[in-house]
């Protein structure tokens, strides 16, 4: 049987801190190793024919981490954009950064905008980085945008289709598979609206160790699922 490749895969890259601790390194070393691993997973996504890859790089709750770790994560992200943009272009990767602008420095916002522009015509893989992202914030922002839309008839009931159109990335199809590394069965405010029917795969492997083989295991597991979207399977 031919392997079904999810069109959109979303990943919660968890376990960088534990990976570092196990190796007697500081947490930031774990995040650095996590960023390197991302390159491996991007490459494999292209090989497999995944069209959209969303990764959770920084949540709206991550600001609560120690100042040094937050600063380190910002620098790591900024360094990733500068040092990898040419490689991403060669690979045909289009970059989108999705989330809130609140609290993010002007220099980083500018770099994000420039990098997105630099890669805007690529189309082999859409690489969507959820950065300063919160699922509840995305839904709240959508509701506020609907309320502020002067073209809407006041008091008219809102439909699901309408809400979907006001999400941050209405053009990206919902993920078919969500992968979480390092063992926790939680969604942590990730893509709350978009994952309504996604399959969920959790592995104990820490993100920096989540290699091509582990990635393929997740896709194999997805292939064994019986996806019914609340209905019944045809006989
Ligand atoms: C969760 O691990 C990971 C994060 C909060 C950050 C993810 C960031 C990266 C993988 C690297 C940078 C990304 C880009 C796009 C360059 P954790 O720190 O919660 O790990 P722990 O649960 O073991 O402490």
């Amino acid at each position: 049987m031919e392997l079904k490749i999810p069109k959109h895969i979303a990943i919660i890259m968890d376990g960088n801190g534990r990976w570092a601790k196990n190796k007697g390194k500081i947490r930031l070393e774990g995040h650095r190793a996590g960023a390197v691993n991302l390159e491996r997973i991007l490459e494999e996504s292209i090989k497999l024919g995944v069209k959209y890859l969303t990764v959770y790089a920084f949540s709206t709750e991550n600001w609560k981490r120690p100042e040094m770790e937050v600063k380190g994560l910002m620098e790591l992200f900024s360094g990733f954009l500068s040092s990898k943009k040419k490689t991403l272009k060669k690979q045909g990767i289009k970059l989108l950064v999705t989330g809130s602008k609140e609290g993010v420095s002007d220099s980083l916002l500018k770099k994000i905008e420039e990098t997105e522009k630099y890669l805007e015509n690529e189309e082999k893989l859409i690489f969507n980085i959820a950065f300063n992202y919160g699922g509840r914030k995305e839904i709240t922002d959508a509701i506020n945008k609907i309320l502020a839309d002067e073209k809407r008839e006041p008091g008219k009931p809102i439909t699901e289709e309408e809400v979907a159109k006001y999400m941050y990335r209405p053009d990206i199809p919902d993920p078919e598979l969500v992968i979480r590394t390092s063992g926790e069965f939680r969604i942590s405010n990730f893509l709350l609206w978009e994952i309504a029917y996604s399959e969920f795969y959790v592995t104990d492997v820490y993100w920096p160790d989540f290699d091509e083989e582990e990635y393929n295991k997740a896709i194999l597991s997805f292939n064994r699922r019986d996806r019914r979207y609340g209905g019944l399977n045809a006989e």
Side-chain angles (χ1 to χ4, degrees):
M1 209 183 73
E2 208 185 312
L3 202 62
K4 225 178 358 174
I5 304 296
K7 200 169 176 189
H8 182 182
I9 298 181
I11 308 181
I12 302 176
M13 309 182 287
D14 196 14
N16 295 342
R18 277 163 281 175
W19 179 91
K21 193 168 177 218
N22 279 352
K23 293 196 154 25
K25 298 174 189 253
I26 57 162
R27 291 180 57 81
L28 208 51
E29 284 299 324
H31 295 314
R32 282 196 194 109
V36 171
N37 192 50
L38 196 46
E39 294 172 45
R40 178 156 73 166
I41 294 306
L42 278 169
E43 186 76 52
E44 186 66 8
S45 299
I46 293 177
K47 254 191 223 154
L48 289 165
V50 175
K51 277 310 290 179
Y52 301 86
L53 180 72
T54 298
V55 297
Y56 205 4
F58 193 85
S59 76
T60 44
E61 288 73 34
N62 284 153
W63 293 105
K64 290 187 228 145
R65 294 195 176 199
E67 202 184 319
M68 209 178 87
E69 185 170 344
V70 171
K71 189 165 174 271
L73 281 166
M74 294 296 151
E75 284 169 5
L76 186 60
F77 182 39
S78 172
F80 179 89
L81 295 178
S82 312
S83 64
K84 297 295 162 213
K85 65 180 205 181
K86 287 212 172 97
T87 316
L88 296 176
K89 195 168 185 95
K90 256 188 231 144
Q91 290 170 298
I93 297 175
K94 173 174 176 155
L95 176 85
L96 298 172
V97 177
T98 300
S100 166
K101 292 190 167 127
E102 279 165 40
V104 183
S105 73
D106 288 343
S107 59
L108 183 51
L109 289 175
K110 187 162 169 255
K111 188 177 283 189
I112 290 170
E113 206 179 300
E114 283 167 4
T115 317
E116 283 180 326
K117 182 110 190 82
Y118 178 73
L119 297 166
E120 72 181 351
N121 294 322
E122 305 310 316
E123 49 187 26
K124 198 173 268 168
L125 172 72
I126 313 298
F127 176 36
N128 181 32
I129 302 182
F131 176 77
N132 199 20
Y133 174 87
R136 285 190 171 181
K137 175 142 182 61
E138 182 181 18
I139 295 171
T140 310
D141 284 351
I143 296 168
N144 280 318
K145 278 187 255 168
I146 294 171
L147 287 176
D149 186 348
E150 286 167 3
K151 286 188 283 305
R152 276 197 103 249
E153 186 190 319
K156 188 178 154 208
I158 301 168
T159 63
E160 276 191 25
E161 289 72 23
E162 198 176 2
V163 178
K165 268 195 244 146
Y166 283 87
M167 290 288 138
Y168 293 151
R169 298 289 176 194
D171 296 337
I172 300 186
D174 290 345
E176 286 147 281
L177 173 63
V178 177
I179 297 172
R180 180 166 190 146
T181 57
S182 97
E184 244 85 54
F185 283 76
R186 285 200 283 277
I187 209 66
S188 304
N189 205 12
F190 188 42
L191 304 177
L192 296 183
W193 178 269
E194 296 83 351
I195 58 163
Y197 292 103
S198 306
E199 294 295 329
F200 199 35
Y201 177 85
V202 179
T203 171
D204 284 337
V205 175
Y206 297 143
W207 171 250
D209 292 329
F210 185 81
D211 60 10
E212 295 87 345
E213 195 182 335
E214 296 297 332
Y215 194 28
N216 277 279
K217 273 193 218 164
I219 292 172
L220 268 179
S221 163
F222 170 80
N223 272 261
R224 282 187 231 110
R225 311 285 175 92
D226 174 19
R227 305 190 75 208
R228 298 194 286 193
Y229 305 92
L232 293 176
N233 268 357
E235 288 293 302

